[in-house]
Amino acid sequence: METPALERFDLVVLGSGPAGEKGAAQAAYFGKKVALVEKRAAPGGVSVHTGTLPSKTLREAALYITGFRHRELYGMTLRIDREKSLRQLVGRLQDVTTRQVRQITRNIERHRIERVLGRGTFTGPREITVTGEDGSPVRRLSAPVILIAVGSSPLPPRGIALDDPDLEDSDSILDLDRIPKTLAVVGGGVIGCEYASIFAALGTEVTLIEGRERLLGFLDSELSAALKTALERMGTEILLGDAVETVTRAEERKTNALELRLKSGRLMEADKVLFSAGRKGNTEGLGLDLAGVVTDDKGRIVVDESFQTSAKGIYAAGDVIGFPSLAATSMEQGRVAMRKAFGIGRTDGFARVFPYGIYTVPEISMIGSTEEELRSAGVPYEIGRARYENNARGQINGDIDGFVKLLFDPESKRLLGAHLIGDEATELIHVPQMVMTHGGGLEDFLQAIFNVPTLSECFKYAAYDGLQRLAHKHGGAPLEASESHRGERLPPGARAWFVGVDLTDPYAREPRPVTVAFMDRWRRVQFRTWTFDPLGTGLLPDEVLAEGFVLAIDGPQGLPQKGQKLRQAEKLLKGSGKTAFALPKLEVPYPGFVPGSVALFSALREKGHGVLGEAGYDETVLIEAYPDDLWTRWTGHKLPKRILPSGRRARFDCLRGFGVELPAGEDATTHDQLDAAAAAFAAYLWATGRAREIGVKPEFDPAFGFLREGTIVTV
């Protein structure tokens, strides 16, 4: 077979994805002769054909055809036709792909870049041989500069062969033959979380299995927890710290035919299984050893700050070099690499601060440092938050879970990081990006005028929130509620403290001290222990009494016997005007027995504190909160037992997802503290009008002469 003649170019690019296309265009713009080698008939790479754009198109199509964004807002319940919806989804994917290919092709032609169809491999330090489908050489190209932008592909799961048509990876999942009724997603990284949320929006019953103890470990932990809560509320079951060991098919079943055995010993069934175990660089068979290019154990190419490999004149960019593996960063990496290689254009390097977007439902985006990074580096910081639920546009959209979180330097007010979850997060992140790019801070948000109503307003109010938190911490700005000691009756939402009491189990062998959680208006919690006193003595510190509070107690409980005596005590508790002195003498089953909320409610009522359902709204101070109900309503499912590490972690994540700041991490926070914090948060939700449901409405029962319960149960 005749060897093709050697053709000379200024630049040869391998791969036409975001990094390859933009790198080639950058060099061609400055007059370089460029050849772009691509094995696919259509340019665009993984980003266009199997990755970024198809998955995001699938997401938007799923949200549209299901009416997901607004179905709760307008009380709709939609059932999708799975067969018809599949045609719509696939059709939309094909339409977007066709448009993108056409656009990229025009860009290549406009820059007079020569497209070379085939697979390129190194046959020398500066020589690329291009082979056709039959493996025969069709072109030989040489250039002083070569850019490798061949992308990545899914890593296969260890010990499991993807030889079943219903075992998918992140590329094959787009070749949908049906919308599965049940789906197991293995891997809680970006791809796994995105597809888990997309299929959950489509009505698929999803189980997400992640070997680590949290989803998306690189995120700020508050966003990670918020995403977990949002997914669970959509019906997704999340199994952390577990892994799939085997997958077999039950041939006799038409649905849920795949059987999964997990490391924990659990057995589960699914229609389809998506493995999302990371990605590897597409460098196998490229002949990189002939060029002296070094790769790591996952086939990713090692580069320096200029994106030059271990071989001089050979550069690499995009997914093939690993993190962050974003289309946006890949494009800029390609451009920067070529500017450095040819000494053209701007002399600055790759931007140190860039946004990260995750297209889950809800969207997530971040830029800069996380709380965990700042804390571990010993960098002082303060937080400012604004939640969509308090924003006019957020209320119009019905997105009550979204929020903006700003991290800033307490002295200079310079912005250190921004973290968003909710509608348009990946668009909104560019506002703090511009602030951080020029070294700005909170003043930039405060001076800006934002359209109303827009979600962008959240940045201004997050900045205000941060300054208020900072001032309150330093004692420079009194709370509005500080006037309450003058005898003014403040509405619940204007009070300074929201308190939760977790009364211990009266039947425990060794009763524990009572845990009390004090939460301020910024959702910061501090814990104290209290020795139970049936008259409430010492429960509330003087500053809490002075500044105003709402107190939630997890009752009624603490009775020595069940049955008739329990009902009698409930009547006493609920009966208007009853006090602790009217209670029957309770037999103490053991020393240190905690009589519970029956006595406590009565004693606090005697002191003039109004109870929800008895007193008017502005006069209400005491409410009941049942943590078990709270956890179930907030997460959408029953959580593991409180005494288990997984149970504590699930409760911790739930509170963090709502922006509740706890003084210690999940490993150091006890289940008593978590229940007390849940009660305090319930008090806050009720006081600020954010409680969507208040359980059974308070109602006076004339037959028994007492008021039935009015329990705060959900956001």
Side-chain angles (χ1 to χ4, degrees), residues 190 243 256 304 430 438 510 512 651 666:
V190 172
N256 286 337
D304 62 15
H430 300 115
H438 71 74
E510 295 182 6
R512 301 180 299 277
R651 288 162 174 78
E666 60 187 80

Side-chain angles (χ1 to χ4, degrees), residues 550-623:
V550 176
L551 172 64
I553 305 173
D554 63 337
Q557 57 177 280
L559 301 171
Q561 296 181 37
K562 297 182 178 180
Q564 186 63 31
K565 286 194 175 182
L566 175 61
R567 289 191 291 274
Q568 289 174 353
E570 280 186 327
K571 289 181 184 179
L572 287 168
L573 169 66
K574 304 295 186 179
S576 178
K578 297 295 185 181
T579 70
F581 304 105
L583 289 173
K585 186 175 181 180
L586 302 176
E587 295 180 9
V588 178
Y590 51 75
F593 168 68
V594 179
S597 62
V598 173
L600 188 55
F601 259 103
S602 299
L604 293 172
R605 180 194 283 112
E606 174 71 7
K607 293 180 180 180
H609 299 311
V611 180
L612 176 64
E614 295 180 4
Y617 174 79
D618 285 359
E619 298 176 347
T620 295
V621 175
L622 305 177
I623 66 174

Side-chain angles (χ1 to χ4, degrees), residues 213 645 648-649 652 664-670:
E213 297 302 328
R648 291 198 302 274
R649 183 173 60 247
F652 183 91
E666 60 187 80
D667 295 332
T669 306
T670 68

Side-chain angles (χ1 to χ4, degrees), residues 442-454:
L442 298 193
E443 193 64 27
D444 293 277
F445 299 119
L446 298 174
Q447 294 294 333
I449 297 176
F450 295 97
N451 278 331
V452 176
T454 61

